[in-house]
Amino acid sequence: MLHSEIDYTIKATIDQYKQEINKHTNENQKLRDDLDSLQQYGRRDLMIINGIPDGGNMETSEKTIELVTTLIKSIDKALQPGDIIRLYRIGPAPLTINSRENENNVHSTPPRQIIVRLKDPQVKKRILRCKKLLKNRRDMKYVKLNEDLTKTRNNIAYKIRKLKIEHSVKDTWTNDGKIMMKDNQEQIHVVNTQDSFDQFCTNFCIPGVFGFLHRLEMNSKDRRHNKESTKGPKYRTYAQSVSSAASPDQSVTSDD
């Protein structure tokens, strides 16, 4: 009798803790989703450009502006001088030292993305509607124009594109930061959160889709790990070289 009462008390306590944990987990996830929506709203006038050749540390801001302006004007004749507020490349510039080895490394590195802030979201929509014209140009084969998505939404959009390749969904696109996709029954869904994406996969995708997504994520992690492990040695700055030369570990010999 005593053991059964103890078991009942322990079970009731555990169930209570589980309910509290689930409650806090759901609240935390809702806060994350709300924060993601707020961050995406702040990006409503931003656009990301991939594939424009990168001049490395020899490329000036004026040159980047010229490249982007020329590209957009070639597809959007309505572009006005004040439509582009500012733009810049993301990430450190690859070194362009005058040696064949470094030149090959620079050219083998994918060009850095360019983030563009436009005058208002309507300008962004107009430009993105014109991006289909790039498909007809061989010199712009690798240039892509897209909305600037948060890290969470960008990850979801990437997975959906992979599902499209596997014919698990018919089509996908973004609109004002919202991730849209059309299933094989021609029904359109909005999946802006990981929870809504998982729910879609459960209800509309074939069995085994979560195993495919897990392998996809593991392969992505392996590629990032291999990329980091194959990075060459970092170039030392002048200050670091002087500091090393002046350290007590460096011995100076003199002729007797």
Side-chain angles (χ1 to χ4, degrees), residues 219-243:
N219 291 338
S220 179
K221 290 182 179 179
D222 290 341
R223 285 195 299 269
R224 287 197 300 268
H225 176 73
N226 294 334
K227 183 178 180 181
E228 292 177 358
S229 61
T230 56
K231 285 183 179 179
K234 294 184 178 180
Y235 289 93
R236 304 174 68 185
T237 63
Y238 174 76
Q240 290 172 333
S241 300
V242 172
S243 176

Side-chain angles (χ1 to χ4, degrees), residues 89-252:
R89 288 193 184 269
I90 302 175
L95 294 176
T96 53
I97 302 175
N98 292 328
S99 69
R100 180 170 298 179
E101 180 181 356
N102 286 306
E103 184 179 355
N104 292 334
N105 289 335
V106 169
H107 289 300
S108 63
T109 303
R112 292 171 296 162
Q113 293 179 321
I114 300 177
I115 186 167
V116 184
R117 181 174 293 278
L118 301 162
K119 183 175 67 174
D120 55 59
Q122 298 303 320
V123 175
K124 182 188 71 173
K125 288 182 180 180
R126 190 189 71 220
I127 295 174
L128 291 178
R129 281 196 298 266
C130 300
K131 70 177 184 179
K132 59 185 178 181
L133 299 176
L134 294 175
K135 296 181 180 180
N136 302 326
R137 298 175 53 180
R138 297 183 60 183
D139 59 329
M140 296 294 176
K141 180 179 179 181
Y142 300 105
V143 176
K144 307 294 182 183
L145 280 68
N146 294 290
E147 291 188 89
D148 182 31
L149 301 177
T150 63
K151 183 178 180 180
T152 298
R153 300 193 185 203
N154 192 49
N155 185 41
I156 295 173
Y158 169 75
K159 292 178 180 179
I160 297 176
R161 290 195 298 270
K162 293 300 181 181
L163 290 179
K164 180 182 176 182
I165 295 175
E166 297 295 321
H167 304 288
S168 295
V169 298
K170 189 170 184 179
D171 198 7
T172 180
W173 66 95
T174 63
N175 183 22
D176 281 340
K178 299 176 182 177
I179 305 173
M180 320 289 292
M181 65 177 171
K182 183 185 294 184
D183 61 27
N184 292 325
Q185 285 73 41
E186 302 290 335
Q187 186 176 356
I188 296 177
H189 306 263
V190 180
V191 284
N192 295 329
T193 64
Q194 186 64 44
D195 182 64
S196 61
F197 174 68
D198 292 341
Q199 187 175 359
F200 170 84
C201 293
T202 301
N203 296 333
F204 296 95
C205 293
I206 61 175
V209 66
F210 287 105
F212 167 76
L213 293 173
H214 176 70
R215 292 191 299 272
L216 185 68
E217 187 171 352
M218 294 303 296
N219 291 338
S220 179
K221 290 182 179 179
D222 290 341
R223 285 195 299 269
R224 287 197 300 268
H225 176 73
N226 294 334
K227 183 178 180 181
E228 292 177 358
S229 61
T230 56
K231 285 183 179 179
K234 294 184 178 180
Y235 289 93
R236 304 174 68 185
T237 63
Y238 174 76
Q240 290 172 333
S241 300
V242 172
S243 176
S244 298
S247 63
D249 295 337
Q250 299 289 336
S251 60
V252 180

